[in-house]
Amino acid sequence: MSEKHSADVLPGEAPADWWSAKRKAAIRIFRNEGVSGIWRKIGAGGPLEALSRVGDEIRCMQCALICSIWDKRHHTQTSGLIGMEQVSVVGSNKEHGTAIVSISPRMFKFLTRFFPVDRSNATLVDFGSGKGRLALLASTVGFRKVIGVEYSPFAHNIAQENLKNFRAGGDGMSECVFINADAVDFQLPTQGPLMLVFNNPFGLEVWRRVLPNIVSHRKETGENIRLLLSGSMPEVLAPVVQFVRESGHFTEAAQGVSPLFIDSYSRYYYWVFDAA
Ligand SMILES: C[S@@+](CC[C@H](N)C(=O)[O-])C[C@H]1O[C@@H](n2cnc3c(N)ncnc32)[C@H](O)[C@@H]1O
């Protein structure tokens, strides 16, 4: 961890990546207790549950490997999963945030089908941009501008570094900026249509404050606004989707479940809404 990240994490240790921590714990148990130790850990629910847990582990390792290859290719550090309890944030919504984890490149590609066809005048805002992978990928698909809003200074600083180092390849990048702020305080840009992406950043409490800002923006500017809500946990998304629907300010444009991609640890559930 670099010096400048050290003040952004809670006292104690550098934030531990959840997957590496799990892998290290398994190696420790195997060294100390051998196969019986591993079996005690995963076999308590019977062989079928053990098999499914091993399958999950293999999938996580596979995703971590593919995403770290993506990082190497693009000169970035976007992989891993860090729990919110390990980092400090700006604002008072820490308890409502999910975790710092990036979208898989193939999942991103799948979701681009919900982006407007003409993006040349549109801005994409990634609410909860983490280490920046989604915003960086979005900056390669023709938006006028991409903005990532992230409340963890730790993740935000990494995203800034990634922006400096990112090698987009192909046709280059749109303008991309990262802002260290709580989503509730972010002011939407007034020029042109908006594609607002919420890749499972936070729960209903924060949505209750973010959605009115979006609705006011629509009333004031009359610009087209599209919302994309996605994530692997339908139980977290369901109340949010209901909240957006019940606001009466949006019409549902699409809804579904993604395929399971080789670089993603889970399918994604998604909903697309257009401002009415
Ligand atoms: C699941 S990650 C998504 C990262 C990124 N959008 C991607 O897909 O690659 C969710 C991110 O939202 C951030 N977050 C949660 N609540 C937030 C809030 N109120 N304001 C800004 N960021 C928030 C978390 O710190 C985390 O980095």
Side-chain angles (χ1 to χ4, degrees), residues 84 87 89 93-94 96-103 126-135 149-152 155 181-184 197 199-202 206 268:
M84 295 315 309
V87 293
V89 305
N93 285 311
K94 178 164 164 156
H96 306 301
T98 51
I100 302 170
V101 57
S102 299
I103 193 165
D126 181 17
F127 279 85
S129 43
K131 297 179 183 176
R133 191 189 288 158
L134 191 150
V149 184
E150 170 59 49
Y151 74 168
S152 147
D182 189 323
V184 300
V197 179
N199 183 27
N200 197 22
F202 38 68
V206 177
Y268 266 19

PDB file of all heavy atoms in Angstrom, residues 84 87 89 93-94 96-103 126-135 149-152 155 181-184 197 199-202 206 268, ligand 1:
ATOM      1  N   MET A  84     -16.506  -2.751   3.549  1.00  0.00           N
ATOM      2  CA  MET A  84     -16.561  -1.344   3.960  1.00  0.00           C
ATOM      3  C   MET A  84     -16.015  -1.145   5.370  1.00  0.00           C
ATOM      4  O   MET A  84     -15.564  -0.059   5.711  1.00  0.00           O
ATOM      5  CB  MET A  84     -18.004  -0.812   3.911  1.00  0.00           C
ATOM      6  CG  MET A  84     -18.659  -0.737   2.556  1.00  0.00           C
ATOM      7  SD  MET A  84     -17.662  -0.061   1.225  1.00  0.00           S
ATOM      8  CE  MET A  84     -17.074   1.458   1.893  1.00  0.00           C
ATOM      9  N   VAL A  87     -12.429   0.412   5.591  1.00  0.00           N
ATOM     10  CA  VAL A  87     -12.009   1.714   5.051  1.00  0.00           C
ATOM     11  C   VAL A  87     -12.825   2.846   5.675  1.00  0.00           C
ATOM     12  O   VAL A  87     -13.926   2.634   6.176  1.00  0.00           O
ATOM     13  CB  VAL A  87     -12.174   1.766   3.510  1.00  0.00           C
ATOM     14  CG1 VAL A  87     -11.222   0.810   2.817  1.00  0.00           C
ATOM     15  CG2 VAL A  87     -13.614   1.493   3.101  1.00  0.00           C
ATOM     16  N   VAL A  89     -14.789   6.603   5.023  1.00  0.00           N
ATOM     17  CA  VAL A  89     -15.512   7.191   3.892  1.00  0.00           C
ATOM     18  C   VAL A  89     -15.800   8.658   4.186  1.00  0.00           C
ATOM     19  O   VAL A  89     -15.782   9.061   5.348  1.00  0.00           O
ATOM     20  CB  VAL A  89     -16.861   6.466   3.598  1.00  0.00           C
ATOM     21  CG1 VAL A  89     -16.665   4.995   3.389  1.00  0.00           C
ATOM     22  CG2 VAL A  89     -17.886   6.728   4.692  1.00  0.00           C
ATOM     23  N   ASN A  93     -22.751   7.838   5.312  1.00  0.00           N
ATOM     24  CA  ASN A  93     -23.523   6.679   4.827  1.00  0.00           C
ATOM     25  C   ASN A  93     -22.734   5.380   4.763  1.00  0.00           C
ATOM     26  O   ASN A  93     -23.107   4.468   4.015  1.00  0.00           O
ATOM     27  CB  ASN A  93     -24.115   7.004   3.454  1.00  0.00           C
ATOM     28  CG  ASN A  93     -25.286   7.944   3.588  1.00  0.00           C
ATOM     29  OD1 ASN A  93     -26.174   7.705   4.406  1.00  0.00           O
ATOM     30  ND2 ASN A  93     -25.279   9.030   2.840  1.00  0.00           N
ATOM     31  N   LYS A  94     -21.677   5.316   5.551  1.00  0.00           N
ATOM     32  CA  LYS A  94     -20.812   4.141   5.493  1.00  0.00           C
ATOM     33  C   LYS A  94     -21.589   2.835   5.671  1.00  0.00           C
ATOM     34  O   LYS A  94     -21.404   1.868   4.939  1.00  0.00           O
ATOM     35  CB  LYS A  94     -19.739   4.255   6.568  1.00  0.00           C
ATOM     36  CG  LYS A  94     -18.830   3.063   6.605  1.00  0.00           C
ATOM     37  CD  LYS A  94     -17.592   3.370   7.376  1.00  0.00           C
ATOM     38  CE  LYS A  94     -16.911   2.081   7.719  1.00  0.00           C
ATOM     39  NZ  LYS A  94     -15.508   2.224   7.949  1.00  0.00           N
ATOM     40  N   HIS A  96     -24.422   1.979   4.883  1.00  0.00           N
ATOM     41  CA  HIS A  96     -25.336   1.588   3.808  1.00  0.00           C
ATOM     42  C   HIS A  96     -24.606   1.122   2.541  1.00  0.00           C
ATOM     43  O   HIS A  96     -25.244   0.749   1.563  1.00  0.00           O
ATOM     44  CB  HIS A  96     -26.269   2.752   3.456  1.00  0.00           C
ATOM     45  CG  HIS A  96     -26.995   3.272   4.646  1.00  0.00           C
ATOM     46  ND1 HIS A  96     -27.827   2.480   5.406  1.00  0.00           N
ATOM     47  CD2 HIS A  96     -27.009   4.498   5.233  1.00  0.00           C
ATOM     48  CE1 HIS A  96     -28.317   3.191   6.406  1.00  0.00           C
ATOM     49  NE2 HIS A  96     -27.834   4.416   6.323  1.00  0.00           N
ATOM     50  N   GLY A  97     -23.267   1.199   2.548  1.00  0.00           N
ATOM     51  CA  GLY A  97     -22.495   0.792   1.361  1.00  0.00           C
ATOM     52  C   GLY A  97     -22.309  -0.711   1.324  1.00  0.00           C
ATOM     53  O   GLY A  97     -22.381  -1.380   2.361  1.00  0.00           O
ATOM     54  N   THR A  98     -22.075  -1.260   0.129  1.00  0.00           N
ATOM     55  CA  THR A  98     -21.921  -2.712   0.001  1.00  0.00           C
ATOM     56  C   THR A  98     -20.458  -3.110   0.202  1.00  0.00           C
ATOM     57  O   THR A  98     -20.035  -3.380   1.324  1.00  0.00           O
ATOM     58  CB  THR A  98     -22.440  -3.194  -1.371  1.00  0.00           C
ATOM     59  OG1 THR A  98     -21.841  -2.411  -2.396  1.00  0.00           O
ATOM     60  CG2 THR A  98     -23.943  -3.087  -1.456  1.00  0.00           C
ATOM     61  N   ALA A  99     -19.643  -3.116  -0.838  1.00  0.00           N
ATOM     62  CA  ALA A  99     -18.229  -3.490  -0.729  1.00  0.00           C
ATOM     63  C   ALA A  99     -17.506  -2.911  -1.935  1.00  0.00           C
ATOM     64  O   ALA A  99     -18.138  -2.567  -2.938  1.00  0.00           O
ATOM     65  CB  ALA A  99     -18.090  -5.005  -0.715  1.00  0.00           C
ATOM     66  N   ILE A 100     -16.186  -2.815  -1.821  1.00  0.00           N
ATOM     67  CA  ILE A 100     -15.408  -2.305  -2.957  1.00  0.00           C
ATOM     68  C   ILE A 100     -15.017  -3.504  -3.811  1.00  0.00           C
ATOM     69  O   ILE A 100     -14.144  -4.287  -3.442  1.00  0.00           O
ATOM     70  CB  ILE A 100     -14.155  -1.549  -2.471  1.00  0.00           C
ATOM     71  CG1 ILE A 100     -14.570  -0.391  -1.554  1.00  0.00           C
ATOM     72  CG2 ILE A 100     -13.339  -1.043  -3.660  1.00  0.00           C
ATOM     73  CD1 ILE A 100     -13.413   0.271  -0.823  1.00  0.00           C
ATOM     74  N   VAL A 101     -15.717  -3.666  -4.910  1.00  0.00           N
ATOM     75  CA  VAL A 101     -15.442  -4.788  -5.816  1.00  0.00           C
ATOM     76  C   VAL A 101     -15.857  -4.358  -7.219  1.00  0.00           C
ATOM     77  O   VAL A 101     -16.873  -3.701  -7.403  1.00  0.00           O
ATOM     78  CB  VAL A 101     -16.194  -6.069  -5.345  1.00  0.00           C
ATOM     79  CG1 VAL A 101     -17.685  -5.860  -5.237  1.00  0.00           C
ATOM     80  CG2 VAL A 101     -15.911  -7.259  -6.247  1.00  0.00           C
ATOM     81  N   SER A 102     -15.041  -4.722  -8.216  1.00  0.00           N
ATOM     82  CA  SER A 102     -15.274  -4.204  -9.575  1.00  0.00           C
ATOM     83  C   SER A 102     -16.127  -5.141 -10.419  1.00  0.00           C
ATOM     84  O   SER A 102     -16.082  -6.368 -10.245  1.00  0.00           O
ATOM     85  CB  SER A 102     -13.932  -4.016 -10.283  1.00  0.00           C
ATOM     86  OG  SER A 102     -13.144  -3.089  -9.593  1.00  0.00           O
ATOM     87  N   ILE A 103     -16.822  -4.552 -11.347  1.00  0.00           N
ATOM     88  CA  ILE A 103     -17.607  -5.338 -12.304  1.00  0.00           C
ATOM     89  C   ILE A 103     -16.637  -6.142 -13.179  1.00  0.00           C
ATOM     90  O   ILE A 103     -15.515  -5.702 -13.441  1.00  0.00           O
ATOM     91  CB  ILE A 103     -18.462  -4.403 -13.185  1.00  0.00           C
ATOM     92  CG1 ILE A 103     -19.506  -5.202 -13.961  1.00  0.00           C
ATOM     93  CG2 ILE A 103     -17.593  -3.553 -14.136  1.00  0.00           C
ATOM     94  CD1 ILE A 103     -20.601  -4.347 -14.552  1.00  0.00           C
ATOM     95  N   ASP A 126     -21.029   6.801 -12.885  1.00  0.00           N
ATOM     96  CA  ASP A 126     -20.983   5.550 -12.134  1.00  0.00           C
ATOM     97  C   ASP A 126     -21.088   5.902 -10.649  1.00  0.00           C
ATOM     98  O   ASP A 126     -20.136   6.420 -10.056  1.00  0.00           O
ATOM     99  CB  ASP A 126     -19.677   4.796 -12.443  1.00  0.00           C
ATOM    100  CG  ASP A 126     -19.602   3.471 -11.694  1.00  0.00           C
ATOM    101  OD1 ASP A 126     -20.661   2.996 -11.226  1.00  0.00           O
ATOM    102  OD2 ASP A 126     -18.487   2.908 -11.588  1.00  0.00           O
ATOM    103  N   PHE A 127     -22.248   5.633 -10.055  1.00  0.00           N
ATOM    104  CA  PHE A 127     -22.458   5.930  -8.631  1.00  0.00           C
ATOM    105  C   PHE A 127     -21.818   4.819  -7.800  1.00  0.00           C
ATOM    106  O   PHE A 127     -22.276   3.684  -7.826  1.00  0.00           O
ATOM    107  CB  PHE A 127     -23.961   6.016  -8.321  1.00  0.00           C
ATOM    108  CG  PHE A 127     -24.569   7.337  -8.695  1.00  0.00           C
ATOM    109  CD1 PHE A 127     -25.001   7.583  -9.977  1.00  0.00           C
ATOM    110  CD2 PHE A 127     -24.693   8.354  -7.751  1.00  0.00           C
ATOM    111  CE1 PHE A 127     -25.555   8.804 -10.332  1.00  0.00           C
ATOM    112  CE2 PHE A 127     -25.248   9.577  -8.081  1.00  0.00           C
ATOM    113  CZ  PHE A 127     -25.670   9.808  -9.370  1.00  0.00           C
ATOM    114  N   GLY A 128     -20.753   5.145  -7.090  1.00  0.00           N
ATOM    115  CA  GLY A 128     -19.995   4.134  -6.353  1.00  0.00           C
ATOM    116  C   GLY A 128     -18.998   3.513  -7.310  1.00  0.00           C
ATOM    117  O   GLY A 128     -19.139   2.373  -7.738  1.00  0.00           O
ATOM    118  N   SER A 129     -17.974   4.298  -7.663  1.00  0.00           N
ATOM    119  CA  SER A 129     -17.082   3.866  -8.756  1.00  0.00           C
ATOM    120  C   SER A 129     -15.939   2.985  -8.284  1.00  0.00           C
ATOM    121  O   SER A 129     -15.173   2.473  -9.106  1.00  0.00           O
ATOM    122  CB  SER A 129     -16.550   5.083  -9.521  1.00  0.00           C
ATOM    123  OG  SER A 129     -16.171   6.097  -8.628  1.00  0.00           O
ATOM    124  N   GLY A 130     -15.780   2.800  -6.966  1.00  0.00           N
ATOM    125  CA  GLY A 130     -14.763   1.884  -6.445  1.00  0.00           C
ATOM    126  C   GLY A 130     -13.381   2.210  -6.983  1.00  0.00           C
ATOM    127  O   GLY A 130     -12.945   3.368  -6.998  1.00  0.00           O
ATOM    128  N   LYS A 131     -12.683   1.187  -7.458  1.00  0.00           N
ATOM    129  CA  LYS A 131     -11.334   1.389  -7.989  1.00  0.00           C
ATOM    130  C   LYS A 131     -11.365   1.827  -9.447  1.00  0.00           C
ATOM    131  O   LYS A 131     -10.327   1.932 -10.089  1.00  0.00           O
ATOM    132  CB  LYS A 131     -10.527   0.106  -7.836  1.00  0.00           C
ATOM    133  CG  LYS A 131     -10.306  -0.319  -6.388  1.00  0.00           C
ATOM    134  CD  LYS A 131      -9.507  -1.619  -6.350  1.00  0.00           C
ATOM    135  CE  LYS A 131      -9.316  -2.119  -4.938  1.00  0.00           C
ATOM    136  NZ  LYS A 131      -8.632  -3.432  -4.933  1.00  0.00           N
ATOM    137  N   GLY A 132     -12.568   1.982  -9.995  1.00  0.00           N
ATOM    138  CA  GLY A 132     -12.697   2.647 -11.294  1.00  0.00           C
ATOM    139  C   GLY A 132     -12.857   1.765 -12.515  1.00  0.00           C
ATOM    140  O   GLY A 132     -12.925   2.291 -13.634  1.00  0.00           O
ATOM    141  N   ARG A 133     -12.976   0.454 -12.334  1.00  0.00           N
ATOM    142  CA  ARG A 133     -12.986  -0.384 -13.544  1.00  0.00           C
ATOM    143  C   ARG A 133     -14.170  -0.067 -14.463  1.00  0.00           C
ATOM    144  O   ARG A 133     -13.993   0.077 -15.675  1.00  0.00           O
ATOM    145  CB  ARG A 133     -12.974  -1.875 -13.197  1.00  0.00           C
ATOM    146  CG  ARG A 133     -12.712  -2.718 -14.461  1.00  0.00           C
ATOM    147  CD  ARG A 133     -12.901  -4.205 -14.223  1.00  0.00           C
ATOM    148  NE  ARG A 133     -11.854  -4.776 -13.420  1.00  0.00           N
ATOM    149  CZ  ARG A 133     -11.990  -5.917 -12.727  1.00  0.00           C
ATOM    150  NH1 ARG A 133     -13.133  -6.565 -12.746  1.00  0.00           N
ATOM    151  NH2 ARG A 133     -10.985  -6.392 -12.019  1.00  0.00           N
ATOM    152  N   LEU A 134     -15.373   0.052 -13.871  1.00  0.00           N
ATOM    153  CA  LEU A 134     -16.546   0.284 -14.719  1.00  0.00           C
ATOM    154  C   LEU A 134     -16.417   1.619 -15.463  1.00  0.00           C
ATOM    155  O   LEU A 134     -16.663   1.705 -16.672  1.00  0.00           O
ATOM    156  CB  LEU A 134     -17.827   0.248 -13.870  1.00  0.00           C
ATOM    157  CG  LEU A 134     -19.138   0.209 -14.660  1.00  0.00           C
ATOM    158  CD1 LEU A 134     -20.211  -0.545 -13.871  1.00  0.00           C
ATOM    159  CD2 LEU A 134     -19.670   1.572 -15.039  1.00  0.00           C
ATOM    160  N   ALA A 135     -15.985   2.662 -14.738  1.00  0.00           N
ATOM    161  CA  ALA A 135     -15.859   3.985 -15.377  1.00  0.00           C
ATOM    162  C   ALA A 135     -14.798   3.954 -16.474  1.00  0.00           C
ATOM    163  O   ALA A 135     -14.993   4.533 -17.559  1.00  0.00           O
ATOM    164  CB  ALA A 135     -15.522   5.039 -14.325  1.00  0.00           C
ATOM    165  N   VAL A 149     -18.193   8.464  -9.076  1.00  0.00           N
ATOM    166  CA  VAL A 149     -18.375   9.085  -7.750  1.00  0.00           C
ATOM    167  C   VAL A 149     -18.163   8.010  -6.693  1.00  0.00           C
ATOM    168  O   VAL A 149     -18.872   6.995  -6.692  1.00  0.00           O
ATOM    169  CB  VAL A 149     -19.808   9.661  -7.613  1.00  0.00           C
ATOM    170  CG1 VAL A 149     -19.957  10.383  -6.282  1.00  0.00           C
ATOM    171  CG2 VAL A 149     -20.133  10.586  -8.772  1.00  0.00           C
ATOM    172  N   GLU A 150     -17.207   8.233  -5.806  1.00  0.00           N
ATOM    173  CA  GLU A 150     -16.857   7.194  -4.828  1.00  0.00           C
ATOM    174  C   GLU A 150     -16.613   7.841  -3.462  1.00  0.00           C
ATOM    175  O   GLU A 150     -15.880   8.818  -3.368  1.00  0.00           O
ATOM    176  CB  GLU A 150     -15.601   6.453  -5.302  1.00  0.00           C
ATOM    177  CG  GLU A 150     -14.970   5.522  -4.295  1.00  0.00           C
ATOM    178  CD  GLU A 150     -15.899   4.419  -3.809  1.00  0.00           C
ATOM    179  OE1 GLU A 150     -16.536   3.742  -4.644  1.00  0.00           O
ATOM    180  OE2 GLU A 150     -15.982   4.232  -2.579  1.00  0.00           O
ATOM    181  N   TYR A 151     -17.209   7.271  -2.396  1.00  0.00           N
ATOM    182  CA  TYR A 151     -17.041   7.912  -1.080  1.00  0.00           C
ATOM    183  C   TYR A 151     -15.872   7.387  -0.260  1.00  0.00           C
ATOM    184  O   TYR A 151     -15.530   7.973   0.753  1.00  0.00           O
ATOM    185  CB  TYR A 151     -18.347   7.932  -0.297  1.00  0.00           C
ATOM    186  CG  TYR A 151     -18.865   6.649   0.329  1.00  0.00           C
ATOM    187  CD1 TYR A 151     -19.918   6.712   1.251  1.00  0.00           C
ATOM    188  CD2 TYR A 151     -18.360   5.395   0.025  1.00  0.00           C
ATOM    189  CE1 TYR A 151     -20.435   5.585   1.843  1.00  0.00           C
ATOM    190  CE2 TYR A 151     -18.879   4.260   0.608  1.00  0.00           C
ATOM    191  CZ  TYR A 151     -19.920   4.356   1.512  1.00  0.00           C
ATOM    192  OH  TYR A 151     -20.433   3.227   2.089  1.00  0.00           O
ATOM    193  N   SER A 152     -15.230   6.301  -0.691  1.00  0.00           N
ATOM    194  CA  SER A 152     -14.045   5.832   0.036  1.00  0.00           C
ATOM    195  C   SER A 152     -12.801   6.493  -0.569  1.00  0.00           C
ATOM    196  O   SER A 152     -12.471   6.261  -1.738  1.00  0.00           O
ATOM    197  CB  SER A 152     -13.921   4.307  -0.090  1.00  0.00           C
ATOM    198  OG  SER A 152     -12.555   3.925  -0.096  1.00  0.00           O
ATOM    199  N   ALA A 155     -10.412   3.856  -2.137  1.00  0.00           N
ATOM    200  CA  ALA A 155     -10.749   3.363  -3.486  1.00  0.00           C
ATOM    201  C   ALA A 155     -10.604   4.490  -4.516  1.00  0.00           C
ATOM    202  O   ALA A 155     -10.100   4.267  -5.628  1.00  0.00           O
ATOM    203  CB  ALA A 155     -12.180   2.821  -3.494  1.00  0.00           C
ATOM    204  N   ALA A 181     -16.736  11.711  -3.230  1.00  0.00           N
ATOM    205  CA  ALA A 181     -17.905  12.302  -2.564  1.00  0.00           C
ATOM    206  C   ALA A 181     -18.923  11.220  -2.249  1.00  0.00           C
ATOM    207  O   ALA A 181     -18.926  10.153  -2.877  1.00  0.00           O
ATOM    208  CB  ALA A 181     -18.546  13.351  -3.471  1.00  0.00           C
ATOM    209  N   ASP A 182     -19.785  11.545  -1.303  1.00  0.00           N
ATOM    210  CA  ASP A 182     -20.939  10.678  -1.039  1.00  0.00           C
ATOM    211  C   ASP A 182     -21.939  10.910  -2.178  1.00  0.00           C
ATOM    212  O   ASP A 182     -22.172  12.068  -2.578  1.00  0.00           O
ATOM    213  CB  ASP A 182     -21.548  11.075   0.313  1.00  0.00           C
ATOM    214  CG  ASP A 182     -22.622  10.093   0.775  1.00  0.00           C
ATOM    215  OD1 ASP A 182     -23.376   9.581  -0.088  1.00  0.00           O
ATOM    216  OD2 ASP A 182     -22.701   9.843   1.978  1.00  0.00           O
ATOM    217  N   ALA A 183     -22.532   9.840  -2.664  1.00  0.00           N
ATOM    218  CA  ALA A 183     -23.483   9.943  -3.781  1.00  0.00           C
ATOM    219  C   ALA A 183     -24.614  10.927  -3.483  1.00  0.00           C
ATOM    220  O   ALA A 183     -25.121  11.577  -4.397  1.00  0.00           O
ATOM    221  CB  ALA A 183     -24.061   8.564  -4.085  1.00  0.00           C
ATOM    222  N   VAL A 184     -24.975  11.071  -2.196  1.00  0.00           N
ATOM    223  CA  VAL A 184     -26.103  11.954  -1.867  1.00  0.00           C
ATOM    224  C   VAL A 184     -25.750  13.422  -2.107  1.00  0.00           C
ATOM    225  O   VAL A 184     -26.640  14.262  -2.255  1.00  0.00           O
ATOM    226  CB  VAL A 184     -26.601  11.768  -0.402  1.00  0.00           C
ATOM    227  CG1 VAL A 184     -27.072  10.355  -0.153  1.00  0.00           C
ATOM    228  CG2 VAL A 184     -25.524  12.170   0.591  1.00  0.00           C
ATOM    229  N   VAL A 197     -25.374   4.811 -13.746  1.00  0.00           N
ATOM    230  CA  VAL A 197     -25.153   3.385 -13.473  1.00  0.00           C
ATOM    231  C   VAL A 197     -24.991   3.160 -11.967  1.00  0.00           C
ATOM    232  O   VAL A 197     -24.211   3.850 -11.307  1.00  0.00           O
ATOM    233  CB  VAL A 197     -23.899   2.879 -14.221  1.00  0.00           C
ATOM    234  CG1 VAL A 197     -23.665   1.403 -13.915  1.00  0.00           C
ATOM    235  CG2 VAL A 197     -24.043   3.098 -15.716  1.00  0.00           C
ATOM    236  N   ASN A 199     -24.077   0.008  -9.896  1.00  0.00           N
ATOM    237  CA  ASN A 199     -23.717  -1.406  -9.828  1.00  0.00           C
ATOM    238  C   ASN A 199     -23.667  -1.822  -8.358  1.00  0.00           C
ATOM    239  O   ASN A 199     -22.600  -1.957  -7.778  1.00  0.00           O
ATOM    240  CB  ASN A 199     -22.380  -1.645 -10.543  1.00  0.00           C
ATOM    241  CG  ASN A 199     -22.026  -3.118 -10.561  1.00  0.00           C
ATOM    242  OD1 ASN A 199     -22.906  -3.981 -10.512  1.00  0.00           O
ATOM    243  ND2 ASN A 199     -20.744  -3.417 -10.597  1.00  0.00           N
ATOM    244  N   ASN A 200     -24.854  -1.972  -7.811  1.00  0.00           N
ATOM    245  CA  ASN A 200     -25.043  -2.354  -6.407  1.00  0.00           C
ATOM    246  C   ASN A 200     -24.148  -1.600  -5.418  1.00  0.00           C
ATOM    247  O   ASN A 200     -23.422  -2.227  -4.645  1.00  0.00           O
ATOM    248  CB  ASN A 200     -24.816  -3.859  -6.248  1.00  0.00           C
ATOM    249  CG  ASN A 200     -25.398  -4.344  -4.926  1.00  0.00           C
ATOM    250  OD1 ASN A 200     -26.276  -3.690  -4.360  1.00  0.00           O
ATOM    251  ND2 ASN A 200     -24.893  -5.442  -4.431  1.00  0.00           N
ATOM    252  N   PRO A 201     -24.209  -0.262  -5.418  1.00  0.00           N
ATOM    253  CA  PRO A 201     -23.339   0.466  -4.488  1.00  0.00           C
ATOM    254  C   PRO A 201     -23.894   0.572  -3.079  1.00  0.00           C
ATOM    255  O   PRO A 201     -23.155   0.455  -2.102  1.00  0.00           O
ATOM    256  CB  PRO A 201     -23.238   1.854  -5.124  1.00  0.00           C
ATOM    257  CG  PRO A 201     -24.478   2.016  -5.939  1.00  0.00           C
ATOM    258  CD  PRO A 201     -24.944   0.631  -6.319  1.00  0.00           C
ATOM    259  N   PHE A 202     -25.232   0.801  -2.963  1.00  0.00           N
ATOM    260  CA  PHE A 202     -25.773   1.085  -1.624  1.00  0.00           C
ATOM    261  C   PHE A 202     -27.258   0.710  -1.564  1.00  0.00           C
ATOM    262  O   PHE A 202     -27.903   0.479  -2.589  1.00  0.00           O
ATOM    263  CB  PHE A 202     -25.600   2.566  -1.268  1.00  0.00           C
ATOM    264  CG  PHE A 202     -25.809   3.516  -2.428  1.00  0.00           C
ATOM    265  CD1 PHE A 202     -27.063   3.696  -2.993  1.00  0.00           C
ATOM    266  CD2 PHE A 202     -24.741   4.228  -2.961  1.00  0.00           C
ATOM    267  CE1 PHE A 202     -27.257   4.581  -4.060  1.00  0.00           C
ATOM    268  CE2 PHE A 202     -24.921   5.100  -4.033  1.00  0.00           C
ATOM    269  CZ  PHE A 202     -26.179   5.281  -4.583  1.00  0.00           C
ATOM    270  N   VAL A 206     -29.826   5.241   1.157  1.00  0.00           N
ATOM    271  CA  VAL A 206     -29.109   6.227   0.333  1.00  0.00           C
ATOM    272  C   VAL A 206     -29.940   6.580  -0.896  1.00  0.00           C
ATOM    273  O   VAL A 206     -30.034   7.752  -1.290  1.00  0.00           O
ATOM    274  CB  VAL A 206     -27.701   5.688  -0.048  1.00  0.00           C
ATOM    275  CG1 VAL A 206     -26.973   6.661  -0.965  1.00  0.00           C
ATOM    276  CG2 VAL A 206     -26.883   5.421   1.202  1.00  0.00           C
ATOM    277  N   TYR A 268     -25.794 -11.478 -12.849  1.00  0.00           N
ATOM    278  CA  TYR A 268     -26.293 -10.179 -12.394  1.00  0.00           C
ATOM    279  C   TYR A 268     -27.781 -10.070 -12.694  1.00  0.00           C
ATOM    280  O   TYR A 268     -28.237 -10.510 -13.746  1.00  0.00           O
ATOM    281  CB  TYR A 268     -25.577  -9.049 -13.144  1.00  0.00           C
ATOM    282  CG  TYR A 268     -24.370  -8.490 -12.417  1.00  0.00           C
ATOM    283  CD1 TYR A 268     -23.730  -9.192 -11.415  1.00  0.00           C
ATOM    284  CD2 TYR A 268     -23.881  -7.229 -12.751  1.00  0.00           C
ATOM    285  CE1 TYR A 268     -22.630  -8.674 -10.765  1.00  0.00           C
ATOM    286  CE2 TYR A 268     -22.774  -6.705 -12.113  1.00  0.00           C
ATOM    287  CZ  TYR A 268     -22.157  -7.430 -11.123  1.00  0.00           C
ATOM    288  OH  TYR A 268     -21.070  -6.909 -10.486  1.00  0.00           O
TER     289      TYR A 268
HETATM  290  C1  LIG B   1     -19.880  -2.897  -5.858  1.00  0.00           C
HETATM  291  S1  LIG B   1     -18.739  -1.534  -5.900  1.00  0.00           S
HETATM  292  C2  LIG B   1     -18.871  -1.062  -7.603  1.00  0.00           C
HETATM  293  C3  LIG B   1     -17.579  -0.492  -8.184  1.00  0.00           C
HETATM  294  C4  LIG B   1     -17.682  -0.009  -9.629  1.00  0.00           C
HETATM  295  N1  LIG B   1     -18.918   0.688  -9.907  1.00  0.00           N
HETATM  296  C5  LIG B   1     -17.563  -1.166 -10.591  1.00  0.00           C
HETATM  297  O1  LIG B   1     -18.608  -1.747 -10.922  1.00  0.00           O
HETATM  298  O2  LIG B   1     -16.442  -1.491 -11.036  1.00  0.00           O
HETATM  299  C6  LIG B   1     -19.715  -0.313  -5.054  1.00  0.00           C
HETATM  300  C7  LIG B   1     -18.940   0.938  -4.640  1.00  0.00           C
HETATM  301  O3  LIG B   1     -19.864   1.921  -4.163  1.00  0.00           O
HETATM  302  C8  LIG B   1     -19.228   2.693  -3.168  1.00  0.00           C
HETATM  303  N2  LIG B   1     -20.272   3.377  -2.384  1.00  0.00           N
HETATM  304  C9  LIG B   1     -21.154   2.824  -1.519  1.00  0.00           C
HETATM  305  N3  LIG B   1     -21.962   3.765  -0.993  1.00  0.00           N
HETATM  306  C10 LIG B   1     -21.591   4.955  -1.538  1.00  0.00           C
HETATM  307  C11 LIG B   1     -22.057   6.295  -1.392  1.00  0.00           C
HETATM  308  N4  LIG B   1     -23.057   6.621  -0.548  1.00  0.00           N
HETATM  309  N5  LIG B   1     -21.457   7.252  -2.129  1.00  0.00           N
HETATM  310  C12 LIG B   1     -20.433   6.961  -2.974  1.00  0.00           C
HETATM  311  N6  LIG B   1     -19.933   5.714  -3.135  1.00  0.00           N
HETATM  312  C13 LIG B   1     -20.513   4.712  -2.438  1.00  0.00           C
HETATM  313  C14 LIG B   1     -18.424   1.649  -2.387  1.00  0.00           C
HETATM  314  O4  LIG B   1     -17.376   2.239  -1.652  1.00  0.00           O
HETATM  315  C15 LIG B   1     -17.925   0.744  -3.525  1.00  0.00           C
HETATM  316  O5  LIG B   1     -16.660   1.143  -3.965  1.00  0.00           O
END
